[in-house]
Amino acid sequence: MTDKTIKVRVLSIDPGFTNLGATFSIMNLSKGIQHQIQTQTFNIPKHLKAYNMHQYANASKHVIECQAVKDIVGNLLKQHEPDIVVCEKTYMGRFPNAFASLTLCINAIETACFDYDSDMYFITFEPSVIKKANGVSGNSSNKDDITKALLANKNIIPCEDIKLFD
């Protein structure tokens, strides 16, 4: 047991090629409290409008989207300098195309982490594990359930209204 305060800087990512969500927080491991510092949602199609598409003329849609995700995550890593990056794992279910797309997205996120720091701790969690850890049924598809659980969690100190995010 130690009296020393141990803090870990965490970048949490909800992957996607339409919207990518990212929250930077500081975990106080000594007290078991997570302080949310900043949350952002990135609209990938809108982000792509800033790209010089001439250089991507021969690239597939997914290559361009992966590059955008790598750029966004790379910038977040430089801005926040996290100790760890956590990300929701893909789920196959009944939608194999969504699974394939999210697998590419997560690969782009992991590649950005590796490019930033080859020792960066990158971990993915099953959606059901995240839900259960917050007291929600692992097979729930109701986003309101997880929002209510996060709002009720006294160990999470938000800096913004959690209800504003999906």
Side-chain angles (χ1 to χ4, degrees):
M1 195 62 140
T2 180
D3 291 331
K4 182 179 178 181
T5 299
I6 301 170
K7 293 183 179 180
V8 177
R9 300 166 61 84
V10 181
L11 180 62
S12 306
I13 300 176
D14 184 6
F17 281 140
T18 303
N19 288 312
L20 182 136
T23 295
F24 174 69
S25 59
I26 297 178
M27 296 283 298
N28 183 326
L29 298 180
S30 307
K31 295 181 180 177
I33 294 176
Q34 178 179 2
H35 292 267
Q36 175 197 13
I37 305 299
Q38 183 180 25
T39 296
Q40 293 175 270
T41 300
F42 298 90
N43 180 285
I44 303 302
K46 195 179 284 187
H47 185 80
L48 288 173
K49 290 180 181 177
Y51 279 63
N52 173 359
M53 293 315 257
H54 178 72
Q55 88 181 69
Y56 294 104
N58 295 322
S60 72
K61 176 182 175 232
H62 284 306
V63 166
I64 299 167
E65 290 170 334
C66 284
Q67 188 60 50
V69 167
K70 275 181 50 183
D71 291 346
I72 289 167
V73 173
N75 288 333
L76 288 169
L77 293 167
K78 289 175 194 161
Q79 179 183 357
H80 297 294
E81 300 177 340
D83 301 305
I84 182 173
V85 175
V86 297
C87 184
E88 186 176 72
K89 197 178 261 187
T90 56
Y91 172 72
M92 177 66 134
R94 296 176 295 160
F95 305 103
N97 287 341
F99 174 79
S101 181
L102 279 175
T103 299
L104 289 171
C105 185
I106 290 172
N107 180 265
I109 294 166
E110 188 173 10
T111 301
C113 292
F114 183 84
D115 289 349
Y116 172 74
D117 179 353
S118 61
D119 267 347
M120 171 66 63
Y121 191 66
F122 176 81
I123 187 167
T124 58
F125 290 98
E126 300 273 349
S128 61
V129 170
I130 296 168
K131 291 173 188 173
K132 288 177 189 174
N134 286 283
V136 176
S137 170
N139 61 0
S140 173
S141 60
N142 186 341
K143 290 190 180 264
D144 289 338
D145 289 346
I146 195 75
T147 300
K148 288 175 189 171
L150 291 172
L151 288 169
N153 190 332
K154 301 297 182 212
N155 291 329
I156 297 174
I157 301 171
C159 70
E160 301 171 68
D161 186 354
I162 291 174
K163 291 183 240 171
L164 297 176
F165 303 100
D166 72 1

